[in-house]
Amino acid sequence: MKPHIQHLSAVLTVLACINSAALADDPQASSWFTVFSGKYARVYLTDADRLSGNAVATWSRGNISQTLPSYAGVQEVASSANWTYIRTTGLGIHTMG
């Protein structure tokens, strides 16, 4: 993992621990939809896959590859006095494609 990403991850972890009580009171931090945060992102590669319900968690299209499954949706929420921090993969919780 790159050093700046490790640092950000550590900061978010600390903020989450410090602000865990505050998160419950702050709707900007507590109202994020995280129910599917433990699910992998899924995609239909073709229309035939969509019609048959054949979604996959890894894929490759041209120069873009997802070679390992990645979680979908918002993974973590933390906040400080002035900011709310969201950790996400950017992949939808719905089946994409």
Side-chain angles (χ1 to χ4, degrees):
M1 190 180 299
K2 294 182 178 181
H4 65 281
I5 294 174
Q6 275 183 315
H7 179 71
L8 178 60
S9 179
V11 168
L12 287 175
T13 301
V14 169
L15 286 173
C17 293
I18 292 171
N19 293 313
S20 60
L23 285 175
D25 299 331
D26 183 1
Q28 290 183 10
S30 64
S31 64
W32 288 89
F33 189 75
T34 58
V35 172
F36 296 113
S37 63
K39 302 277 185 181
Y40 288 131
R42 310 278 295 167
V43 65
Y44 296 121
L45 296 177
T46 65
D47 283 339
D49 288 335
R50 183 180 53 80
L51 293 172
S52 66
N54 183 30
V56 295
T58 61
W59 60 88
S60 182
R61 282 194 180 155
N63 294 334
I64 300 173
S65 292
Q66 183 66 41
T67 58
L68 295 172
S70 183
Y71 291 116
V74 175
Q75 300 301 304
E76 183 177 5
V77 180
S79 66
S80 67
N82 299 313
W83 298 93
T84 299
Y85 304 90
I86 309 301
R87 184 171 62 89
T88 179
T89 60
L91 298 170
I93 58 173
H94 61 285
T95 303
M96 301 169 288

